[in-house]
Amino acid sequence: MAQFENVSVAKTANVYFDGKCVSHNITLADGTAKSVGVILPSVLTFTTGAPEIMELVQGECKVTLAGETEAVTYRGGESFSVPGDSSFQIEVLDTVHYVCHFG
């Protein structure tokens, strides 16, 4: 899907890691929460509360999930899943545009 219809968008951005990651929370008409954002080239570690699916719209990155030793490369059009109460390290090689699907 190229766009979301009938959504509410939080006006205040979520700014992480000194601006290397910026996102906005959106809520779909059915109450489903997501975030849409950009991560600039960097190496960052994120933690999760709930399970997440990170959908890459554009860009390229290497991701190492908690407990794993090898990074996996993902590009626009691909996604990866992260368990709840976990973490992942992301090395952004080419600015990543993403949608984070929660739960």
Side-chain angles (χ1 to χ4, degrees):
M1 138 182 1
Q3 66 183 33
F4 294 109
E5 301 288 342
N6 303 315
V7 300
S8 296
V9 179
K11 291 189 334 183
T12 302
N14 305 304
V15 180
Y16 304 103
F17 304 104
D18 296 322
K20 292 179 181 77
C21 177
V22 178
S23 67
H24 284 270
N25 294 332
I26 65 170
T27 305
L28 304 181
D30 67 0
T32 302
K34 301 182 183 296
S35 65
V36 178
V38 173
I39 307 173
L40 300 176
S42 54
V43 178
L44 308 172
T45 300
F46 289 88
T47 57
T48 62
E52 299 179 0
I53 297 173
M54 291 288 289
E55 173 190 351
L56 274 66
V57 178
Q58 282 185 284
E60 182 177 1
C61 63
K62 292 182 181 181
V63 175
T64 307
L65 298 174
E68 299 292 324
T69 56
E70 291 193 33
V72 177
T73 300
Y74 296 95
R75 293 174 182 84
E78 300 178 325
S79 62
F80 61 93
S81 297
V82 185
D85 297 318
S86 189
S87 65
F88 65 96
Q89 182 182 71
I90 185 167
E91 178 183 357
V92 176
L93 306 171
D94 183 23
T95 299
V96 166
H97 300 240
Y98 71 90
V99 177
C100 182
H101 306 269
F102 300 106

